[in-house]
Amino acid sequence: MKSLLIFLLAINIWDQQLALDSITKAISTGNVTALEPYLDKSVEIAILEQENVYGKTEAVQILKNFFGKNKPQTFSQMHTGQSKGKEAHYSIGNLTTASGTFRVYIYARVEGDKFFVQELRFDKE
């Protein structure tokens, strides 16, 4: 029984890592369509000095506009972590684009086995 519990816990951790990897891959390629399923109903987006909370549909448009102006070249994940209760995950990385490098902050809440991105920040390096 103990082995089964450990196995199920390992699968859950694996699924969460795959979701975070999918989110960072979508950002690294500017693929908003792949990122959209992970966006929460409302998302705080900060791009340089502009910061606001957007509904999912508007957030998709904001991100498409950002990636349209800043064509991604590479993304390197620098740090990841999770809250003490494991109900939230975050990732910090550097996104190199045709127009410069951005420090990217991703904050996502976890509900069951699903990730919901609640905050995305793009700060110019």
Side-chain angles (χ1 to χ4, degrees), residues 20 23-24 27 43-46 75 78-79 89-95 102-108 117-125:
L20 193 55
I23 292 166
T24 58
I27 289 172
V43 183
E44 182 177 343
I45 298 177
F75 180 81
M78 306 304 286
H79 186 69
H89 287 251
Y90 64 90
S91 176
I92 301 169
N94 293 323
L95 175 67
F102 294 85
R103 176 67 61 126
V104 179
Y105 301 87
I106 304 162
Y107 176 83
V117 174
Q118 292 187 313
E119 183 179 352
L120 285 171
R121 301 186 70 81
F122 298 88
D123 296 330
K124 195 81 168 186
E125 285 271 304

Side-chain angles (χ1 to χ4, degrees), residues 106-117:
I106 304 162
Y107 176 83
R109 70 179 174 87
V110 178
E111 191 174 298
D113 62 346
K114 301 215 184 246
F115 264 56
F116 296 96
V117 174

Side-chain angles (χ1 to χ4, degrees), residues 11-50:
I11 286 176
N12 188 35
I13 292 169
W14 177 258
D15 286 346
Q16 290 178 358
Q17 186 59 46
L18 287 176
L20 193 55
D21 289 347
S22 295
I23 292 166
T24 58
K25 183 177 181 186
I27 289 172
S28 72
T29 59
N31 187 343
V32 179
T33 303
L35 183 59
E36 185 175 3
Y38 296 101
L39 298 178
D40 208 343
K41 292 175 202 149
S42 63
V43 183
E44 182 177 343
I45 298 177
I47 299 174
L48 303 174
E49 299 299 317
Q50 292 186 326

Side-chain angles (χ1 to χ4, degrees), residues 32 36 39 45 55-65:
V32 179
E36 185 175 3
L39 298 178
I45 298 177
K56 187 174 186 173
T57 303
E58 193 174 7
V60 166
Q61 291 306 313
I62 298 291
L63 292 169
K64 283 182 179 179
N65 186 41

